[in-house]
Amino acid sequence: HTLWDQVSALAEHLAPTYEALPARILASPGVHADETWWRVMGKSSKRWWVWCLTTKDAVFYRILESRSAQAARTVLGDYRGIVLADGYGAYESLSRAGPGFTLAHCWAHVRRKWIEAEPFYPDECAPVIAWIRELYAIEAELRDVGSGVVIDPSALERVRSARDARSRPIVAQIHAWALAQRSTPQSSLRKAIEYMLGMWKGLTLFLDDPRIPLDNNPAERALRGPVLGRKNFYGSRSRRGTEVAALFYSLIETAK
């Protein structure tokens, strides 16, 4: 309890810095967003959620009681830029609820679905996995111009030209291949296809906007700290505990 009193007191001094982070992040033209579960221990040991926003130079966490679209709105507010996220429906719902942000989707999540299906459908999955690997190889060549959503403005045309000439034909191949496949409704192959095609608009936005990266890995990396923390100390014991945890995770990850 003595340690908690000290940590809570320090958090009060650091609160203005924490509260300034979301404004800085949401002033960016694009952000990465993700969420993971968190436990608030008590009679019910209720599951809460860590919401994460990150850019190249800052990370912000908010621990909320739900994973709803309203919770997403609490975190994103009236943001009007690019949000890169996985296929979770709360982001889609929020992006459609009037003039809001542009939602881009993550090729790393798509690739995982194909990797999961590969042991059962090796011949069918091999081509699309290879094509996705080619997309990442192209991006690796462009990595010197920037990382994350925001790229050096002077390099935008170079990225656009490379993606037009090299990435766009690969994406067209993937799409045509997926539409031509036949599989049983509940198979892992069908699930991989439907997952990919269901997010196709968001997956292909990177071809038209050179600021958008292929995946949401920066947000996933940023969530490793909270995930490790919940394994070590199981979560928080109160609402104030969630606030203090979110503050320290935000400041430490931003510093890192």
Side-chain angles (χ1 to χ4, degrees), residues 113-170:
K113 296 293 184 183
W114 292 108
I115 294 296
E116 290 171 7
E118 187 181 23
F120 309 100
Y121 300 91
D123 294 336
E124 292 86 347
C125 295
V128 70
I129 292 173
W131 286 324
I132 294 174
R133 186 183 304 119
E134 288 183 45
L135 291 178
Y136 272 91
I138 294 167
E139 295 300 307
E141 294 177 19
L142 301 172
R143 193 167 295 160
D144 63 306
V145 304
S147 61
V149 176
V150 183
I151 297 176
D152 180 357
S154 65
L156 292 180
E157 191 53 43
R158 174 188 164 191
V159 175
R160 189 191 306 275
S161 298
R163 288 176 173 175
D164 265 339
R166 301 170 62 189
S167 300
R168 195 176 294 274
I170 296 171

Side-chain angles (χ1 to χ4, degrees), residues 70 110 129 131 143 157 159 165 171 173 185 199 215 230 233:
Q70 184 55 47
V110 170
I129 292 173
W131 286 324
R143 193 167 295 160
E157 191 53 43
V159 175
V171 170
Q173 279 183 300
M199 299 192 299
D215 58 45
R230 79 181 182 216
F233 58 83

Side-chain angles (χ1 to χ4, degrees), residues 8 35 41 62 64 67-68 71 109 114 122 132 167 178 187 201 203 212 217 232 241:
S8 181
E35 71 290 329
M41 292 175 284
R62 186 87 180 265
L64 299 172
R67 201 187 179 200
S68 65
H109 280 79
W114 292 108
I132 294 174
S167 300
S187 66
K201 180 181 178 181
L203 288 171
I212 299 175
N217 287 348
N232 287 339

Side-chain angles (χ1 to χ4, degrees), residues 82-83 102-105 107 163 168 199-213:
I82 300 159
V83 174
T102 299
L103 180 61
H105 284 126
W107 278 95
R163 288 176 173 175
R168 195 176 294 274
M199 299 192 299
W200 194 252
K201 180 181 178 181
L203 288 171
T204 55
L205 283 177
F206 82 101
L207 296 172
D208 300 312
D209 191 332
R211 297 172 299 171
I212 299 175

Side-chain angles (χ1 to χ4, degrees), residues 44-61:
S44 63
S45 293
K46 182 179 178 181
R47 179 169 285 197
W48 288 37
W49 293 89
V50 182
W51 293 81
C52 170
L53 297 178
T54 181
T55 60
K56 289 171 64 177
D57 61 355
V59 184
F60 175 74
Y61 303 93

